[in-house]
Amino acid sequence: MADELAILGCGTMGEAILGGLLHERLYTPEQVVVTVRRAEAGAQLQQRHGVVALRDNVEACSRAQVVLVAVKPQYMAELLDDDRMRAAIGDKLVISIAAGVRLATLGTWLPAARLIRAMPNTPCLVSRGMTVLAPGPRAGADELAVARRIFHAVGRVIELEDKHMDAVTSLNGSGPAFAYVMLEALADGGVMMGLRRDVALEIAASVFLGAATMVLDTKLHPAALKDQVTTPAGSTIAGLLTMEDGRIRSVLARTIQEATKVAASLGPRE
Ligand SMILES: NC(=O)c1ccc[n+]([C@@H]2O[C@H](COP(=O)([O-])OP(=O)(O)OC[C@H]3O[C@@H](n4cnc5c(N)ncnc54)[C@H](OP(=O)(O)O)[C@@H]3O)[C@@H](O)[C@H]2O)c1
């Protein structure tokens, strides 16, 4: 991509995306400018990736055609709701990954910008991320294509309407944490039955990876895949019934319901 990219707030998520973009050669280091708050963090990014790191967000936006905003949600208003920033950004494409900051709110801060809201997750750090994009009214097919290419560098990408982003924040953004708890609990069971902790964790993690890949690649319903593993009077059905006794389905589904409620209360309101 020829356009210059600015990544405002190049921390954990910003650097994960930057790493993917440079690795996939979508951008050269010369085409990317990043910003951070601390000078030493900027020097480290410059050293690790060869990009220009600034502390002046307005200057970074002036240089770039595409702006990826990756600061914490609580810093979004002071960063974007600013006349110098509005002038530097104009009608450029701005992609925000801040949790809880709606397109309507972004639109009040940057009324001329072509806006896309994105919700990635931490597996982007290992190029196995999932990102959901919600385009604003000024963002068309070209802008979506740019955003798709950016997040595709660190994993899978789909598009949804902004109204779904609270559920997405919970299922996609928080989802890895829920998966870690399930994974750890299964490994605990293995340890209880005599497996070494490291072995149990490796097996449990591989099981999650393999099962998730089965669902994505075969496109079969998880229930059909579960039935394939379940022989009559076998150990799998014994374990499955124990899970059902613990009401694991409603616990997990309500986990997403509760986390979505909290996600809906995050961020500033327009
Ligand atoms: N982590 C997740 O799972 C996840 C998932 C989806 C979306 N998100 C969203 O991603 C965003 C970033 O999260 P993160 O976990 O990557 O946070 P983070 O690691 O704390 O990174 C934030 C970065 O912003 C920089 N920063 C702070 N104030 C700034 C300013 N005024 N100008 C320029 N840079 C500034 C910080 O610089 P210094 O290092 O110098 O302080 C840091 O590099 C959040 O909005 C979050 O909602 C996170």
PDB file of all heavy atoms in Angstrom, residues 104-116:
ATOM      1  N   ALA A 104     -20.391   7.033  16.483  1.00  0.00           N
ATOM      2  CA  ALA A 104     -21.068   8.321  16.619  1.00  0.00           C
ATOM      3  C   ALA A 104     -20.212   9.284  17.427  1.00  0.00           C
ATOM      4  O   ALA A 104     -20.136  10.484  17.115  1.00  0.00           O
ATOM      5  CB  ALA A 104     -22.432   8.123  17.282  1.00  0.00           C
ATOM      6  N   THR A 105     -19.546   8.781  18.474  1.00  0.00           N
ATOM      7  CA  THR A 105     -18.678   9.634  19.292  1.00  0.00           C
ATOM      8  C   THR A 105     -17.471  10.082  18.480  1.00  0.00           C
ATOM      9  O   THR A 105     -17.099  11.269  18.475  1.00  0.00           O
ATOM     10  CB  THR A 105     -18.208   8.864  20.543  1.00  0.00           C
ATOM     11  OG1 THR A 105     -19.347   8.311  21.181  1.00  0.00           O
ATOM     12  CG2 THR A 105     -17.461   9.756  21.504  1.00  0.00           C
ATOM     13  N   LEU A 106     -16.855   9.130  17.768  1.00  0.00           N
ATOM     14  CA  LEU A 106     -15.709   9.484  16.919  1.00  0.00           C
ATOM     15  C   LEU A 106     -16.130  10.550  15.901  1.00  0.00           C
ATOM     16  O   LEU A 106     -15.366  11.477  15.607  1.00  0.00           O
ATOM     17  CB  LEU A 106     -15.196   8.242  16.181  1.00  0.00           C
ATOM     18  CG  LEU A 106     -14.543   7.159  17.047  1.00  0.00           C
ATOM     19  CD1 LEU A 106     -14.393   5.855  16.253  1.00  0.00           C
ATOM     20  CD2 LEU A 106     -13.177   7.615  17.553  1.00  0.00           C
ATOM     21  N   GLY A 107     -17.363  10.416  15.406  1.00  0.00           N
ATOM     22  CA  GLY A 107     -17.874  11.345  14.396  1.00  0.00           C
ATOM     23  C   GLY A 107     -18.066  12.754  14.936  1.00  0.00           C
ATOM     24  O   GLY A 107     -17.945  13.728  14.179  1.00  0.00           O
ATOM     25  N   THR A 108     -18.367  12.878  16.232  1.00  0.00           N
ATOM     26  CA  THR A 108     -18.506  14.229  16.790  1.00  0.00           C
ATOM     27  C   THR A 108     -17.126  14.881  16.940  1.00  0.00           C
ATOM     28  O   THR A 108     -17.000  16.104  16.839  1.00  0.00           O
ATOM     29  CB  THR A 108     -19.211  14.229  18.159  1.00  0.00           C
ATOM     30  OG1 THR A 108     -18.429  13.457  19.071  1.00  0.00           O
ATOM     31  CG2 THR A 108     -20.620  13.675  18.073  1.00  0.00           C
ATOM     32  N   TRP A 109     -16.094  14.084  17.178  1.00  0.00           N
ATOM     33  CA  TRP A 109     -14.741  14.631  17.317  1.00  0.00           C
ATOM     34  C   TRP A 109     -14.123  14.945  15.951  1.00  0.00           C
ATOM     35  O   TRP A 109     -13.415  15.927  15.788  1.00  0.00           O
ATOM     36  CB  TRP A 109     -13.819  13.640  18.049  1.00  0.00           C
ATOM     37  CG  TRP A 109     -14.242  13.324  19.439  1.00  0.00           C
ATOM     38  CD1 TRP A 109     -14.980  14.104  20.280  1.00  0.00           C
ATOM     39  CD2 TRP A 109     -13.948  12.125  20.171  1.00  0.00           C
ATOM     40  NE1 TRP A 109     -15.171  13.470  21.477  1.00  0.00           N
ATOM     41  CE2 TRP A 109     -14.540  12.263  21.454  1.00  0.00           C
ATOM     42  CE3 TRP A 109     -13.249  10.961  19.898  1.00  0.00           C
ATOM     43  CZ2 TRP A 109     -14.457  11.280  22.434  1.00  0.00           C
ATOM     44  CZ3 TRP A 109     -13.149   9.977  20.870  1.00  0.00           C
ATOM     45  CH2 TRP A 109     -13.755  10.142  22.119  1.00  0.00           C
ATOM     46  N   LEU A 110     -14.372  14.050  14.982  1.00  0.00           N
ATOM     47  CA  LEU A 110     -13.741  14.173  13.661  1.00  0.00           C
ATOM     48  C   LEU A 110     -14.829  14.100  12.583  1.00  0.00           C
ATOM     49  O   LEU A 110     -14.964  13.095  11.890  1.00  0.00           O
ATOM     50  CB  LEU A 110     -12.733  13.027  13.452  1.00  0.00           C
ATOM     51  CG  LEU A 110     -11.604  12.898  14.478  1.00  0.00           C
ATOM     52  CD1 LEU A 110     -10.841  11.603  14.265  1.00  0.00           C
ATOM     53  CD2 LEU A 110     -10.653  14.099  14.398  1.00  0.00           C
ATOM     54  N   PRO A 111     -15.619  15.189  12.432  1.00  0.00           N
ATOM     55  CA  PRO A 111     -16.802  15.106  11.562  1.00  0.00           C
ATOM     56  C   PRO A 111     -16.488  14.878  10.086  1.00  0.00           C
ATOM     57  O   PRO A 111     -17.311  14.330   9.366  1.00  0.00           O
ATOM     58  CB  PRO A 111     -17.502  16.450  11.777  1.00  0.00           C
ATOM     59  CG  PRO A 111     -16.557  17.318  12.511  1.00  0.00           C
ATOM     60  CD  PRO A 111     -15.499  16.484  13.120  1.00  0.00           C
ATOM     61  N   ALA A 112     -15.301  15.293   9.624  1.00  0.00           N
ATOM     62  CA  ALA A 112     -15.005  15.139   8.186  1.00  0.00           C
ATOM     63  C   ALA A 112     -14.296  13.821   7.872  1.00  0.00           C
ATOM     64  O   ALA A 112     -14.190  13.435   6.705  1.00  0.00           O
ATOM     65  CB  ALA A 112     -14.146  16.306   7.712  1.00  0.00           C
ATOM     66  N   ALA A 113     -13.799  13.146   8.896  1.00  0.00           N
ATOM     67  CA  ALA A 113     -12.957  11.958   8.646  1.00  0.00           C
ATOM     68  C   ALA A 113     -13.780  10.782   8.150  1.00  0.00           C
ATOM     69  O   ALA A 113     -14.974  10.674   8.432  1.00  0.00           O
ATOM     70  CB  ALA A 113     -12.223  11.576   9.930  1.00  0.00           C
ATOM     71  N   ARG A 114     -13.115   9.917   7.388  1.00  0.00           N
ATOM     72  CA  ARG A 114     -13.733   8.644   7.000  1.00  0.00           C
ATOM     73  C   ARG A 114     -13.359   7.643   8.095  1.00  0.00           C
ATOM     74  O   ARG A 114     -12.181   7.317   8.271  1.00  0.00           O
ATOM     75  CB  ARG A 114     -13.214   8.217   5.626  1.00  0.00           C
ATOM     76  CG  ARG A 114     -13.778   9.102   4.508  1.00  0.00           C
ATOM     77  CD  ARG A 114     -13.060   8.893   3.213  1.00  0.00           C
ATOM     78  NE  ARG A 114     -11.769   9.550   3.225  1.00  0.00           N
ATOM     79  CZ  ARG A 114     -10.735   9.204   2.460  1.00  0.00           C
ATOM     80  NH1 ARG A 114     -10.841   8.219   1.623  1.00  0.00           N
ATOM     81  NH2 ARG A 114      -9.599   9.863   2.539  1.00  0.00           N
ATOM     82  N   LEU A 115     -14.357   7.220   8.872  1.00  0.00           N
ATOM     83  CA  LEU A 115     -14.095   6.491  10.114  1.00  0.00           C
ATOM     84  C   LEU A 115     -14.420   5.004  10.000  1.00  0.00           C
ATOM     85  O   LEU A 115     -15.441   4.630   9.414  1.00  0.00           O
ATOM     86  CB  LEU A 115     -14.946   7.077  11.244  1.00  0.00           C
ATOM     87  CG  LEU A 115     -14.660   8.534  11.618  1.00  0.00           C
ATOM     88  CD1 LEU A 115     -15.773   9.073  12.511  1.00  0.00           C
ATOM     89  CD2 LEU A 115     -13.304   8.638  12.328  1.00  0.00           C
ATOM     90  N   ILE A 116     -13.566   4.210  10.591  1.00  0.00           N
ATOM     91  CA  ILE A 116     -13.855   2.779  10.748  1.00  0.00           C
ATOM     92  C   ILE A 116     -13.499   2.410  12.180  1.00  0.00           C
ATOM     93  O   ILE A 116     -12.434   2.783  12.682  1.00  0.00           O
ATOM     94  CB  ILE A 116     -13.038   1.923   9.750  1.00  0.00           C
ATOM     95  CG1 ILE A 116     -13.524   2.190   8.311  1.00  0.00           C
ATOM     96  CG2 ILE A 116     -13.171   0.436  10.084  1.00  0.00           C
ATOM     97  CD1 ILE A 116     -12.808   1.389   7.240  1.00  0.00           C
TER      98      ILE A 116
END
